[in-house]
Each structure stands twice: as C-alpha cells, then as structure tokens.
Amino acid sequence: MDSGKVCSNFIVVFLYVFVINSGCFLGVFRATERYFFISMLIGLGALLKIGLAALLYYDVNLLLIYCVAFDIALWFLASVYSLYSVRSRSYLTDVDFSSLKEFLRVSMTSSISQILDLPLTQLDRVIIAAIAGDAAAGIFNLLRRLSALFNQLGEPLYQVYYRYFSSNDFSLLNFNYSETIAISLRKIGLPIFVCLIFYPLVINYVDMYFFNSNLNGYYLTLFLFLLTSSFSVIFVWINPLYYIHVSEYRTIYVTFVSNLTYVSSIFVVFYYFKVELSFVCIMIQLALSYYMKFFGVTNKIYLIKKNITRDFAP
C-alpha cells in the first residue's frame, strides 16, 4: 500500500474517531435539554444512510466512503452548531474544578463501556472467521447488519427516555414496570411486529434485488435476528434507567459480563453448530444484560422503600 493511501486512511480514521465520537454536541444539547433535537438528528442520519444503501448497493466501497463522509460532515456540523448555540450561555462560565471532575468521571465510564463493547461490534467476526472460516463470518456479519435495521430506532429512543428518567418529574419509587412495558409494546413493539408480518412477502424480492440471492437459505435465521433486535428496541428504556438511577460504574460491569458471555457463546455455537443458530449468541447477551439491569433497578427500588420504612418506623 502506497504512502498516499496510508495517509488518507489515517486522516479518515482520525476524523471518524475524534469528530464523530467526541460527544461534543451530545453533551451541549443535553445540557440545554434539547433531547428531541438529538433524537431527530440521529434518526435522520440513520434514514439517510438507509437511502444511500438503497442507491449504492452495487458498490460497497463507494457506499462505505459516502457513509463515512456523511457521518463526518453531520457530526462536525452538529458539533460546530452546538458550540455556536451556547457561546453566550452563562453556565459555561460557572464551571469549577468539581464540575470538571464530574465531567471526566462520566466521560471515563462512557469510554470504558465503549471499549468493552468491542467484542459485540468487532471481535465476534474475528473469532467466527478463525473457527468457521471467512464465509461463515461474512454471512454472520451480513445478518447482523440487516437485523440492525430496527436497532436504528434504539438511539433516538434512548435519548427520549434519558430525558424523561433524568427529569425532576420522574420518581424511581413510583416507577411502574408493567405500565412501561405495556406502553413500549403498544407504541414501539406493535409497529415493528406489523412490519415483520410483511417479511415473508418481501424478503425474496429484497434478496434478489440487493443481494443477488446470497441470503437464500438464511431467511428464517434473518427473521430470528430481526425478532431479537425488535425486543432490544422495545426494552431499550432499561438502559438509561439503570445508568441514571443505579450506577454508571455497574453499567461497565454489566457490559463486561454480558459481552464475555457473548464471546463464549460464539465459541460454542460456531464450533459445534452452524451459522443458522448464531442468533442465539445475541439473544443470550441481550437477555443477560437486560436481566442484570432489571435486577439492579428492582433492587434499588427495594432499598429505597426499605429506607423509607425504616425512617418512618416508630
């Protein structure tokens, strides 16, 4: 590889890491309570990428270049706009050492969580390629990417829930699991399940038009991937609830344990079985992560009620 290509790749990676993942605009817009704007920005970005994929499906390299360029431009403009919009905000002059320590603490835990998520985003394909070959890793990656269609809804919903759970109007003591799950199933799950009803009718045409029938034989596996992703989106509210009201440090522990289990399940599934059962790995990781967070929130509510009972006991 010539030096010019190496230099250009380095510049792209540098911009992608330090512009897109800087979190500058997220922090500013959260400070100004513009959560709807964050959700719209992330949702619009996801929809435009889907449009790019539909237009440039015939050239993966060109599609990748356009997606990276789009991400860099969108995140850079959002960061510049966020800084411009708060240039006269008085609270920027009130930052003291304790505020800086709090900022660094939250940033550190978020960064560690992102690092621990690498097995879920990158390492799995390396392990699968080593165990079952490049073809199995390619099929698994394709199925994961396609099933991530529903996951594009997760980040905007996370921002909405984060705003609600961090507001002064929300009380963990009065939190109702049944009501929250019922609302999520009705407003999020129902539209997703309606879309899944049409899956058998459209998958054959999508496969022929976009993937040259390379998905033939994996239709059921892809459907199970999509079904798993839909439950991930439906119960996404547990993530901000746990992070805000339990502990961001325990979030790191949950991420580590669930991802370690995920990697272990990949070894077992791809060594003894085939790619058709690969959705089980994601299901196990998701179920363990959500179970630990459900347990953490339930235990927190129990401790709050126990302390209140003790304080008011005669």
Side-chain angles (χ1 to χ4, degrees), residues 296-314:
V297 172
T298 303
N299 186 59
K300 182 73 172 183
I301 295 173
Y302 168 76
L303 292 176
I304 293 175
K305 291 181 178 180
K306 183 179 179 181
N307 291 332
I308 292 176
T309 304
R310 183 183 58 191
D311 292 341
F312 286 92

Side-chain angles (χ1 to χ4, degrees), residues 1-130:
M1 185 179 292
D2 57 72
S3 58
K5 184 173 291 187
V6 171
C7 182
S8 63
N9 289 341
F10 174 78
I11 292 173
V12 170
V13 171
F14 177 85
L15 290 172
Y16 199 89
V17 170
F18 289 97
V19 175
I20 295 178
N21 293 321
S22 65
C24 173
F25 81 92
L26 285 175
V28 171
F29 290 144
R30 281 178 177 175
T32 54
E33 298 187 349
R34 300 176 68 181
Y35 292 91
F36 179 76
F37 185 84
I38 297 174
S39 302
M40 290 298 296
L41 186 66
I42 296 174
L44 179 63
L47 288 175
L48 289 177
K49 281 190 201 176
I50 293 174
L52 284 174
L55 293 174
L56 301 174
Y57 68 92
Y58 56 87
D59 192 334
V60 177
N61 292 327
L62 186 62
L63 173 62
L64 178 62
I65 292 173
Y66 272 99
C67 284
V68 172
F70 171 77
D71 273 341
I72 291 174
L74 180 65
W75 259 234
F76 178 75
L77 291 174
S79 298
V80 171
Y81 174 71
S82 67
L83 294 175
Y84 175 80
S85 65
V86 299
R87 68 191 187 283
S88 60
R89 298 274 181 173
S90 60
Y91 64 80
L92 292 179
T93 62
D94 298 332
V95 177
D96 54 15
F97 182 69
S98 61
S99 300
L100 182 60
K101 285 173 57 179
E102 178 68 12
F103 169 77
L104 292 175
R105 181 182 65 82
V106 174
S107 298
M108 181 185 67
T109 55
S110 299
S111 299
I112 294 175
S113 295
Q114 290 179 0
I115 293 172
L116 291 175
D117 258 342
L118 287 176
L120 196 62
T121 57
Q122 304 295 333
L123 187 60
D124 52 0
R125 282 159 287 175
V126 177
I127 296 173
I128 294 170

Side-chain angles (χ1 to χ4, degrees), residues 143-160:
L143 294 174
R144 280 290 310 268
R145 296 297 182 184
L146 291 175
S147 66
L149 177 65
F150 290 148
N151 288 339
Q152 298 298 323
L153 300 171
E155 184 60 29
L157 288 172
Y158 181 98
Q159 300 298 330
V160 174

